[in-house]
Amino acid sequence: MRTGRTTTVVSLAVLVAGALASAAEKDVPALKDVFKDHFLIGGALNRRVVTGHDPGAAAIAEKHFNTATAENAMKWQSLNPWPGRYAWDVADSFVAFCERNEMAPIGHCLVWHSQVPRWLFRDESGNALTREVLLARMKDHIMTVVGRYKGRIKGWDVVNEALNENGTLRASPWLRIIGEGAEDKKYDFIESAFRWAHEADPEAELYYNDYGLESSKAKCDGAVALVKHLQSKGVRIDGVGIQLHASLEHPSVEGLEYAITSLAAAGVKVMITELDIRTQTRGYRGADIGRINRRSTQDANADAAETQRRLAQKYAEIFSVLLKHRKDITRVTFWGIYDGASWIGGSPLLFDRDYRPKEAFFAVLSAGRKDQ
Ligand code: G3I
């Protein structure tokens, strides 16, 4: 049991560590200023940050970011967990936080196979839905969500992670039910989602977002085909998000350049939407939460000087590629703010568990300064 005295000592230690961290933080330039002539800089914000429960993280975001993405608050499961009932509190706090701090808010995400409530793909008797009913549910959701924030969201991830590694469309319930196994209907759910998002907020930018575009050329080609399909139908699509959940060993410079140049050549903006670098190098490389989590990516050597040096080098390499292609890149968003609240373990971000800037932060800073 903790005595009153130990509690006081622990609290004091936390306060002192926090004060030291924020002092260290105060001395460094803001990333959004360093990159202001090149692209927006942002981060994914979680519930604790936007509701005032993580002031250390909020301070970092306020200082360094001019854009932010809702990490979980705008997913279907979070917003619309029961049929016809919405829970807006955290999403509203996210938008308000962005507005208070002059960050362009990005809505994430309207149509995804993951983090969807169980009722979505079934009728009241538990049977699979027809194409028409699922399209109607999708329309209702998009009109309700995008409509609520009309004029306040810079851009929406309209469809998230619809592709397989080989570039074909993932056999999600969206594809199976709305596509009905017919080749000429395979893009219908994507097309419909983009059309309704545009109808609900004609000023908002609309994006397709996926992981692995930088490590599988076939998947990147699949994204280009998807963009071209929408363009051929006269459907608005402004950009493609390369999530970029990287590791110390991937992506290669060539793979990243292939993705940026192929997508830009298709006539869309390119954004890095979920940047982090896992330090644990074994195993699966993708970003499917069903296959990796904090535990499976824990890294006993995360804090070692050698690991931090390699992390800094990988960030420097990635930023040198992004700066080289800056005419095609509009935004770079980190997937989180500091290591303690990342969705993966190890040491994936620029700030450590005590909110202090790491060697990787300074590597990104100097990449940006070289190019100013
Ligand atoms: O909020 C609930 C809480 O009420 C519950 O008690 C607790 C018990 O598990 O779960 C909480 O929800 C968790 C949620 O994060 C908020 O912390 C979910 O279980 C957990 O699965 C969820 O993980 C998120 C994951 O997407 C799945 O939605 C991660 O935080 C988030 O970083 C991650 O982000 C995805 C992008 O949206 C898409 N690209 C890949 C990226 C990484 O997987």
Side-chain angles (χ1 to χ4, degrees), residues 135-155:
L135 278 168
R137 287 187 181 179
M138 181 206 275
K139 179 174 185 184
D140 184 55
H141 181 80
I142 292 177
M143 299 306 287
T144 304
V145 174
V146 179
R148 180 180 181 89
Y149 298 109
K150 185 178 175 192
R152 299 171 71 194
I153 295 287
K154 178 182 173 64

Side-chain angles (χ1 to χ4, degrees), residues 71-72 75 108 112 115 160-161 243 245 274 287 335 343:
E71 183 173 1
N72 288 304
K75 291 173 181 173
H108 171 86
W112 191 22
Q115 295 299 105
N160 195 41
E161 300 173 9
Q243 294 184 6
H245 292 288
E274 304 187 11
W335 204 241
W343 71 290

Side-chain angles (χ1 to χ4, degrees), residues 206-247:
L206 306 179
Y207 317 128
Y208 175 71
N209 189 51
D210 213 330
Y211 62 82
L213 304 180
E214 71 291 349
S215 48
S216 162
K217 287 186 180 171
K219 189 169 190 175
C220 180
D221 295 346
V224 168
L226 191 161
V227 167
K228 290 193 167 152
H229 173 83
L230 294 180
Q231 291 167 336
S232 75
K233 293 293 191 84
V235 177
R236 175 171 179 169
I237 175 165
D238 297 272
V240 171
I242 299 172
Q243 294 184 6
L244 204 46
H245 292 288
S247 79

Side-chain angles (χ1 to χ4, degrees), residues 348-369:
L349 294 166
L350 302 188
F351 294 86
D352 70 14
R353 278 154 211 277
D354 296 318
Y355 308 104
R356 285 178 307 218
K358 305 193 301 191
E359 195 175 332
F361 171 87
F362 294 100
V364 168
L365 193 65
S366 73
R369 281 179 154 171

